[in-house]
Amino acid sequence: MIKRILMLIFSCTIFVSPSVFSEEVKINLPETEIEGNFEEQDFIGPMFTETNTSIKVTEKGITAQGPSAAMSPHKSITLMPSVNQQSVDPSGIADISNYHESFRFRGVEPTGGGNPGSPVNVKDVPISGRPGGGMTIYDMENFESVSIYKGGVPADQAFGLTNIGGKIDMDIKGPKEAFGINLKQSLGSDSFTRSFLRVDTGLLAAGTGGFISFSDAGGDKWKGQGESDRINAMLGLSQKIGERIQVNGYAIYNDADLNTYRSLSYSQVSSLSDYYNFEYTNSSTDYYYYGYNRSDFEDLSLLLDMEYRISDVSKFNLKPYYWQDKGDFFETITIQSGANRVRNWAIDHDMYGMLAQYSTDMQGMKVDMGYFYLKHERPGPPTAMKLYQVTGTGLQFDRWQILSAPTKHEQNQPFVSGKYSVGNFTLEGGLKYLDYKMPEIRTYITTGIGDVSYKTALGMASTVEQNSSAREKDFTEFLPNLGASYILSDSLSSYFSYGRNYGLSVQLYPYFISQKQGFYTAGITLQELWNRQELEIADNFDLGMRYITERLYVVPTIYYARHKNKLAIYYDDTLNIYFPASNAKAEAYGFELEAGAVPVEHLSLYGSFSYNRFNYTQDLRNSSGAIVPVDGEQVPDAPKVMFKGIASYTLGDFTFSTIMRYTGSRYGDIVHNEKIDTATIFDFEVGYSKEVNRFGMKKLDLSVTFNNIFDKEYISIINTTDYQTLGSTYMTGAPFTAYVSLSISI
């Protein structure tokens, strides 16, 4: 029914033009917003007077990443220093591996180690998550900026289930004051097509404004059988009430059906040219049939942003939010006995909460205080997993792997933050108090329960498996931050920041269930191991400079972070058992350099360099209790060196751009036996942009994009964990692809 309504809306609005056009991809260096005297700079980069390591990429910066960034906030930040974002699908639709897109900040995976949730917030609150379909719900044309926080974060930012590696926060492009229509159409390799429409009502007499957008995207996989389809709609409403109250409401609906790509073993990677196109089969009697490896999810997100301006210097904001996610993962796995099975991970969960914030100016000091609340229904960890055998007639139900009650994570976070400037000096500090309730685990015995839905199975379940269950557990932690910046001249500033971040792993539960007979034999219950869980805590220190002039900017940063309670596979010699535990120590340090320049008229340059080290500061133990010497070794899938750059030259209405991404060597395992070579990928784009003002049109944009122009064979995603010693798998990056995009604004 929802699909029919969306298609009706689309059909009613499409009459304004005989065709739907797409991507505005005029490549210039993306804008950055810089406070003080530097607001007009046309570069990617951080704010001039910020006291933390933050970067804001504006709409131009999002557009500059090409069509693949139109549906992924992660792809829009790939040029940033210390951001390692990898993909297996050039269109950005089917980039599903390990239930989420693969990326790291400074070598740290923001959702690594089994952390539930998402590193992406919208207007400071989480309205999506993982595992599930929440990573593909955004049409980036509806967002005016993406902010990235690395290292420590301010107390009034980065809320959610985790912020251990930093946070991405997006700001919505609200309703426009004037009526307008934007139509975009993209076509590309492997039958890729994407249509996008946004209609803005303009500001109406009653002070009401609104917009509605719709997109339909799809395409074949670039290797093997299978395809991906995605429908997205977004609604925005704005209402002013009197002189002091502003209410904005937003809703996002997304429906995605995706076929995933098959991974490679390291032995296959060692002969990459022979296995580059290795994929799932076309036979439904094969465990590795492409139809048994897919995901189907339907998502709905709601956000209400209400502001009451109390006086000229104070205001109150209230942001209630809701996210509902329902669907399935299907994947081929190998169980502990060595046999293959097809696993169905059914997900039906929601998340809701609010952010209440009071802001005021007290004699020149900006003060923010408030309260954040979140309730997030599992998974993770998983609540419903079924296993199937493959027969001559297709799938045959084998058994329930997990049947667990739908309990919830809960967070309460009161906070206070202050910022004071005197002369050229700015000081900022804050404190957040985290009260985190990890959910109860109630596992049911599934004897006699067949291939029924999750809700039906819960109704049939009557006996709790006590040894695989655990009570809820509370964590509390003070999370301080402190930062200072000093303006040395009109073009040079410096800053220092400290901040404490947190994360929680839920990987213990599925690990325990998959090997519970071994734990039972050893007399170990889930409750015993659950009691040992701890929050991962990272203390982050950053020191940087920002040199910005009319035609040049250079931003060097050094950083250090110390992690405690990091997840690692732990061997307990008193229990003679091997399990994931949050008791390891690690550290991160490195150097980032970001620079942009306009050396001559019409030529724009941007580049970023990063050296990132992230490693355990202790040795680990393997399943037999033997010491694994990993102290000081770089964690898997974390290149030490990365360099990214873009050069754009404008000639009349045309822009010619080259993008280069260099990823240094990395490893698929913590003991560094599985090395992945460096990769340098080049993209090229030609854009045409013209102010038209004819036939009802205001602007016309046309672009042709070529990705991986030298058809480089390389490894993109590594499916691994930071402590992986065996069993990592690898995903190949996409070959040469081409896209053409056309966009008109009315």
Side-chain angles (χ1 to χ4, degrees):
M1 177 59 71
I2 294 178
K3 288 184 181 179
R4 294 191 183 98
I5 294 172
L6 293 173
M7 291 303 295
L8 178 61
I9 294 171
F10 185 73
S11 301
C12 292
T13 53
I14 201 65
F15 75 92
V16 298
S17 174
S19 61
V20 185
F21 299 87
S22 189
E23 304 296 335
E24 177 184 348
V25 192
K26 179 181 178 182
I27 299 290
N28 287 315
L29 290 182
E31 293 176 343
T32 192
E33 293 185 7
I34 302 173
E35 296 180 358
N37 298 323
F38 302 93
E39 295 177 355
E40 301 303 320
Q41 293 294 327
D42 192 31
F43 299 114
I44 301 171
M47 268 66 83
F48 188 62
T49 59
E50 284 296 309
T51 62
N52 52 69
T53 305
S54 59
I55 304 171
K56 177 176 281 189
V57 185
T58 64
E59 183 180 359
K60 183 189 285 187
I62 297 169
T63 304
Q65 306 303 309
S68 65
M71 295 173 284
S72 170
H74 306 135
K75 290 182 180 295
S76 68
I77 62 173
T78 56
L79 295 180
M80 304 300 99
S82 296
V83 175
N84 178 30
Q85 193 279 333
Q86 298 289 342
S87 173
V88 67
D89 187 85
S91 69
I93 306 179
D95 191 1
I96 302 296
S97 177
N98 196 26
Y99 316 121
H100 67 294
E101 289 185 307
S102 172
F103 73 103
R104 290 175 180 258
F105 291 157
R106 295 178 172 178
V108 181
E109 189 180 8
T111 55
N115 281 309
S118 169
V120 179
N121 281 1
V122 175
K123 298 183 76 68
D124 301 324
V125 298
I127 62 168
S128 69
R130 64 169 286 265
M135 303 302 287
T136 62
I137 71 171
Y138 305 109
D139 272 341
M140 297 306 294
E141 292 93 344
N142 292 321
F143 295 86
E144 63 182 21
S145 66
V146 179
S147 296
I148 311 156
Y149 294 91
K150 292 180 290 185
V153 294
D156 59 348
Q157 297 283 334
F159 298 104
L161 287 177
T162 178
N163 64 13
I164 195 66
K167 205 74 173 181
I168 301 170
D169 188 76
M170 303 196 296
D171 199 9
I172 297 171
K173 186 196 301 181
K176 296 180 180 179
E177 293 188 359
F179 174 81
I181 299 174
N182 181 229
L183 304 111
K184 300 182 178 182
Q185 181 65 48
S186 294
L187 301 173
S189 300
D190 304 301
S191 303
F192 173 76
T193 179
R194 180 173 183 263
S195 304
F196 174 83
L197 167 71
R198 171 167 163 149
V199 180
D200 282 84
T201 65
L203 187 61
L204 305 178
T208 305
F211 74 85
I212 187 169
S213 73
F214 175 82
S215 70
D216 188 357
D220 296 334
K221 291 164 54 180
W222 63 266
K223 63 174 180 175
Q225 295 293 311
E227 61 183 12
S228 296
D229 296 290
R230 171 187 179 270
I231 290 176
N232 184 280
M234 185 170 181
L235 175 69
L237 294 172
S238 175
Q239 178 66 56
K240 189 173 182 179
I241 304 174
E243 295 297 321
R244 296 183 179 273
I245 299 176
Q246 179 70 44
V247 180
N248 300 307
Y250 306 99
I252 298 174
Y253 170 80
N254 195 81
D255 188 356
D257 300 331
L258 314 173
N259 280 109
T260 57
Y261 289 84
R262 188 172 182 177
S263 60
L264 307 182
S265 67
Y266 188 69
S267 62
Q268 292 170 321
V269 170
S270 301
S271 303
L272 187 58
S273 60
D274 296 330
Y275 290 96
Y276 200 73
N277 291 298
F278 182 71
E279 252 305 309
Y280 293 108
T281 71
N282 302 335
S283 172
S284 61
T285 60
D286 188 336
Y287 272 100
Y288 289 96
Y289 173 52
Y290 78 91
Y292 301 151
N293 292 271
R294 58 183 174 83
S295 65
D296 311 305
F297 280 94
E298 191 172 18
D299 289 78
L300 176 66
S301 286
L302 304 173
L303 170 63
L304 195 61
D305 182 6
M306 298 178 287
E307 177 183 291
Y308 172 59
R309 187 155 292 277
I310 302 169
S311 68
D312 291 340
V313 296
S314 61
K315 64 180 180 178
F316 176 75
N317 286 87
L318 183 65
K319 298 177 183 178
Y321 61 91
Y322 174 78
W323 170 56
Q324 202 278 332
D325 176 50
K326 183 176 182 179
D328 296 88
F329 286 115
F330 284 88
E331 62 177 335
T332 301
I333 65 167
T334 301
I335 59 178
Q336 191 176 16
S337 66
N340 289 329
R341 291 291 185 271
V342 174
R343 180 167 64 191
N344 169 216
W345 182 359
I347 293 177
D348 185 356
H349 62 165
D350 61 8
M351 175 175 64
Y352 57 88
M354 70 170 185
L355 173 62
Q357 186 169 350
Y358 172 74
S359 304
T360 189
D361 193 323
M362 301 172 57
Q363 297 181 340
M365 183 172 71
K366 184 179 181 298
V367 177
D368 293 277
M369 60 185 70
Y371 169 75
F372 172 78
Y373 177 75
L374 173 148
K375 214 158 193 182
H376 186 297
E377 187 177 12
R378 295 169 46 214
T383 55
M385 287 182 167
K386 293 186 282 188
L387 299 181
Y388 292 85
Q389 290 181 304
V390 174
T391 68
T393 57
L395 294 181
Q396 177 178 306
F397 176 73
D398 182 21
R399 60 184 172 88
W400 284 83
Q401 187 180 33
I402 291 176
L403 180 62
S404 179
T407 52
K408 296 185 178 184
H409 301 262
E410 185 174 4
Q411 281 190 357
N412 294 272
Q413 295 189 48
F415 63 91
V416 60
S417 180
K419 188 174 185 178
Y420 181 72
S421 297
V422 54
N424 292 348
F425 180 74
T426 299
L427 180 67
E428 182 176 12
L431 182 65
K432 186 185 303 180
Y433 177 73
L434 174 66
D435 183 357
Y436 190 163
K437 182 180 294 183
M438 190 165 64
E440 172 193 12
I441 300 295
R442 192 161 63 250
T443 305
Y444 293 103
I445 294 175
T446 58
T447 303
I449 301 177
D451 190 9
V452 296
S453 70
Y454 173 55
K455 290 184 179 179
T456 301
L458 285 179
M460 296 172 65
S462 58
T463 306
V464 174
E465 191 170 1
Q466 297 293 346
N467 289 339
S468 291
S469 300
R471 296 181 297 274
E472 63 185 28
K473 183 174 181 179
D474 287 334
F475 302 96
T476 58
E477 186 73 31
F478 285 101
L479 304 168
N481 76 281
L482 180 66
S485 69
Y486 187 76
I487 300 175
L488 300 167
S489 69
D490 288 344
S491 57
L492 182 64
S493 69
S494 61
Y495 77 98
F496 167 80
S497 73
Y498 161 76
R500 175 171 289 181
N501 297 355
Y502 65 93
L504 174 68
S505 169
V506 294
Q507 194 157 320
L508 173 62
Y509 178 59
Y511 186 94
F512 184 93
I513 291 296
S514 65
Q515 304 178 76
K516 65 181 181 180
Q517 295 307 322
F519 285 105
Y520 290 173
T521 300
I524 306 299
T525 66
L526 177 64
Q527 185 69 64
E528 291 179 70
L529 305 184
W530 202 250
N531 292 340
R532 302 181 181 211
Q533 298 264 74
E534 298 291 345
L535 282 176
E536 181 180 354
I537 298 297
D539 290 299
N540 303 271
F541 303 86
D542 285 52
L543 179 64
M545 306 285 288
R546 294 164 178 148
Y547 176 74
I548 305 177
T549 67
E550 184 178 350
R551 289 185 173 270
L552 172 70
Y553 91 86
V554 181
V555 180
T557 304
I558 58 174
Y559 68 88
Y560 176 80
R562 181 166 289 275
H563 293 241
K564 68 176 182 178
N565 302 331
K566 180 171 175 56
L567 189 72
I569 290 294
Y570 175 68
Y571 179 79
D572 191 319
D573 52 10
T574 62
L575 301 176
N576 192 30
I577 206 73
Y578 181 66
F579 60 95
S582 50
N583 63 353
K585 297 178 181 179
E587 67 177 3
Y589 59 89
F591 172 73
E592 300 169 342
L593 179 64
E594 188 178 12
V598 184
V600 296
E601 189 176 5
H602 305 306
L603 177 63
S604 298
L605 304 174
Y606 170 82
S608 68
F609 169 83
S610 54
Y611 175 80
N612 305 127
R613 291 284 280 116
F614 184 42
N615 57 266
Y616 288 98
T617 56
Q618 65 183 69
D619 291 332
L620 304 179
R621 290 176 180 264
N622 62 20
S623 58
S624 62
I627 291 177
V628 181
V630 300
D631 186 355
E633 299 291 345
Q634 186 84 339
V635 299
D637 194 25
K640 293 181 182 178
V641 176
M642 289 182 291
F643 175 73
K644 286 86 69 86
I646 177 173
S648 295
Y649 184 76
T650 301
L651 184 63
D653 296 324
F654 289 89
T655 301
F656 304 87
S657 301
T658 299
I659 298 177
M660 185 272 284
R661 298 178 178 87
Y662 169 83
T663 303
S665 61
R666 52 201 164 121
Y667 293 88
D669 64 321
I670 189 63
V671 292
H672 292 189
N673 288 330
E674 300 184 1
K675 184 178 181 180
I676 299 301
D677 292 334
T678 63
T680 305
I681 308 301
F682 289 89
D683 302 331
F684 182 71
E685 193 158 279
V686 179
Y688 173 81
S689 182
K690 183 74 172 178
E691 301 290 338
V692 180
N693 294 321
R694 296 178 62 187
F695 310 114
M697 292 188 298
K698 297 178 182 178
K699 190 179 180 183
L700 172 68
D701 291 276
L702 175 68
S703 71
V704 181
T705 304
F706 303 98
N707 293 334
N708 194 2
I709 58 177
F710 297 115
D711 204 20
K712 168 75 174 179
E713 293 184 347
Y714 68 103
I715 292 298
S716 57
I717 296 172
I718 302 177
N719 298 317
T720 187
T721 60
D722 287 345
Y723 50 81
Q724 193 89 16
T725 56
L726 290 172
S728 297
T729 58
Y730 304 84
M731 312 293 291
T732 50
F736 171 82
T737 53
Y739 299 93
V740 60
S741 302
L742 185 63
S743 168
I744 62 170
S745 297
I746 299 174

